[in-house]
Amino acid sequence: MPATIIMGGQWGDEGKGKLTDALAANAAMVVRANGGSNAGHTIQTDQGTFKLRLVPSGILNPHVRCVIGAGVVIELGTLVNELRGLQERGIDTSGMMISDRAHLVLPFHKRLDQLEEQRREQDEIGTTLNGNGPAYADKASRHGLRVCDLRRPEILRRKLAIEVDAKNQNLAGVFGDPPLEFQPLYEDLLELTEFLRPMVVPTEVIVQDALHAGQRIIVECAQGAMLDIDYGTYPYVTSSSPTAAGACQGAGVAPSQVDAVIGVYKAYTTRVGGGPMPAELLDETGELIRVRGREWGVNTGRPRRTGWFDAVAARQTSRLNGITNIALTLLDVLDVFDEIGICEGYRVGDLAISHVPALLDELSGAAPDLKFVPGWSQDTTHVRDFADLPLEAQKYLNVIETHLGAPVRYVGVGPDREQLIDRLHA
Ligand code: GDP
């Protein structure tokens, strides 16, 4: 039962899109498992740069069927725009399928996301303000509207009317915001549904049929495991489970059908939004990493916080997700440093901490316990065989393997599709 999970091992933006695109060349199907349009997966091919938000990163491989799974929350307008944009660039989207169980992100979710972030003031989570959190909250509290509701206008009308009414009470009563009008919202949904209708299917059945036929399936997560709602840095997390377990749940794949869990890690650490980050570099080294790694959000344009590789957090996600292989991306960003830091622990006063604690306040004022290894100070962007990587780079990868307890199989040395080393295919 050959399913491969591709998931982020840090705080997202690890380059999962590029790896998924590359591995999709040998797969029949790519299933996106979680998150919403807050994801931004960048893929660079000879056709240019593609920034995908909801569409699975297999879409640039014409033979691949692409599935948006039940665990995803969908803002229909964003999805339709994304698909139209791809079609205009000559990309074949006929293999797209959308789970009829996926939940909808509606305009009131977006507005609530903005208002709730404003209310948190300096404690804001740093969401992308796309409404995904409130949509997942409605899903959990059993108020959500799903893709299947779109099929029957009378059902949609009834459920939407109840929700608009309830949300207007909240918007007006709690936030003093003007109410949303039902009719234009309803009509918009009907119009968008026309475009998407042929793609709406029970994807879990199709995914299982493919697995039983022995087809290779890739399950693609958005975000990263340190943003997981259970094991991430709560409350600075996403509202879904970007983990191996979440991948199974969101895609409709059983754990026993998975034979590889590829953890995608950057060669250093970044994160967007709030929360403690002991390995953060607030100096010119951090700025150099940001510039070389082009560390600004795909959708938001926000600068990402940067730091040395946080082996404490990475080890935690590697273990909890049973990572079978590491994909270490953006190694080329470190090409210019004489020495490279690895955060092997945290220190608060005399206290040494070797895991990410549940209570983040315990990390306030934490200093990184850094170990430095020699850099390689040479360009790696042209390297395609693992053995041709500078010895110091190989040693750096080896240190990471030891910390994470898994082998590095893929190494990213640039944003292009070809700038990827597969250690097993020299
Ligand atoms: P994702 O959300 O995990 O798919 O990652 P993003 O697309 O948000 O961020 C990764 C960024 O790094 C994108 O701009 C990619 O084009 C770029 N990228 C991916 N792999 C590499 C790499 O190995 N080297 C460099 N320099 N850039 C990379």
Side-chain angles (χ1 to χ4, degrees), residues 7-8 12-20 38-44 49-52 57 220-224 264 266 268 292-299 304 328-333 381 411-416 419-420:
M7 55 167 285
D13 312 309
E14 298 94 346
K16 300 173 292 292
K18 179 187 145 180
L19 187 77
T20 305
N38 49 345
H41 297 162
T42 313
I43 305 170
Q44 268 182 230
T49 301
F50 294 85
K51 292 180 185 296
L52 303 173
S57 304
E220 175 193 32
C221 293
Q223 291 96 33
V264 188
K266 282 185 192 185
Y268 49 92
R292 288 186 54 78
R294 294 185 284 179
E295 297 295 355
W296 280 268
V298 172
N299 297 321
R304 296 177 185 142
L328 202 87
T329 58
L330 293 112
L331 184 74
D332 53 297
V333 171
T381 55
V411 182
V413 289
D416 285 347
Q419 290 178 303
L420 184 70

Side-chain angles (χ1 to χ4, degrees), residues 61-341:
N61 294 265
H63 68 280
V64 170
R65 293 195 288 164
C66 283
V67 175
I68 296 181
V72 176
V73 291
I74 304 174
E75 208 273 301
L76 294 186
T78 306
L79 179 57
V80 168
N81 283 341
E82 194 175 331
L83 287 166
R84 286 206 173 114
L86 287 166
Q87 288 167 359
E88 278 161 19
R89 292 177 73 179
I91 304 301
D92 178 6
T93 60
S94 59
M96 270 296 301
M97 289 176 271
I98 303 167
S99 169
D100 54 4
R101 292 175 188 268
H103 278 247
L104 300 180
V105 181
L106 295 163
F108 43 74
H109 292 131
K110 202 167 187 163
R111 188 66 192 128
L112 284 169
D113 203 353
Q114 293 161 350
L115 292 167
E116 282 169 12
E117 278 287 81
Q118 275 168 22
R119 188 165 56 174
R120 288 187 192 106
E121 295 184 346
Q122 70 272 20
D123 289 330
E124 64 169 10
I125 290 166
T127 81
T128 54
L129 307 178
N130 283 310
N132 301 297
Y136 276 115
D138 272 357
K139 172 180 174 175
S141 59
R142 288 155 292 178
H143 285 281
L145 271 82
R146 295 184 296 166
V147 169
C148 54
D149 296 320
L150 300 167
R151 284 224 199 94
R152 303 267 293 274
E154 70 287 4
I155 293 179
L156 178 67
R157 175 181 280 281
R158 180 170 54 78
K159 291 187 179 174
L160 187 67
I162 294 169
E163 281 315 300
V164 169
D165 195 40
K167 293 300 186 298
N168 277 342
Q169 286 179 34
N170 192 7
L171 286 171
V174 177
F175 296 102
D177 216 46
L180 289 164
E181 272 187 68
F182 168 81
Q183 195 60 26
L185 171 51
Y186 174 64
E187 283 168 16
D188 269 4
L189 287 179
L190 290 184
E191 197 184 317
L192 293 164
T193 301
E194 279 319 299
F195 183 87
L196 298 172
R197 192 184 296 279
M199 306 174 196
V200 175
V201 285
T203 55
E204 68 279 11
V205 176
I206 291 164
V207 167
Q208 283 300 323
D209 285 348
L211 283 166
H212 281 89
Q215 294 181 0
R216 164 104 0 228
I217 286 191
I218 293 175
V219 182
E220 175 193 32
C221 293
Q223 291 96 33
M226 286 309 295
L227 293 171
D228 176 55
I229 192 156
D230 292 308
Y231 294 104
T233 44
Y234 193 90
Y236 304 100
V237 291
T238 196
S239 307
S240 60
S241 292
T243 54
C248 289
Q249 180 71 5
V253 171
S256 55
Q257 294 173 318
V258 176
D259 63 1
V261 182
I262 302 177
V264 188
Y265 293 84
K266 282 185 192 185
Y268 49 92
T269 305
T270 62
R271 78 177 292 185
V272 274
M277 181 175 171
E280 185 166 14
L281 288 164
L282 295 165
D283 55 8
E284 65 272 19
T285 303
E287 184 58 22
L288 187 54
I289 290 178
R290 179 159 36 249
V291 170
R292 288 186 54 78
R294 294 185 284 179
E295 297 295 355
W296 280 268
V298 172
N299 297 321
T300 60
R302 285 185 297 188
R304 296 177 185 142
R305 300 159 70 191
T306 55
W308 293 124
F309 189 84
D310 184 337
V312 180
R315 176 175 156 80
Q316 189 151 316
T317 60
S318 174
R319 281 159 49 117
L320 281 174
N321 293 283
I323 299 297
T324 57
N325 289 288
I326 297 165
L328 202 87
T329 58
L330 293 112
L331 184 74
D332 53 297
V333 171
L334 302 183
D335 284 353
V336 294
F337 295 102
D338 294 338
E339 52 175 15
I340 291 164

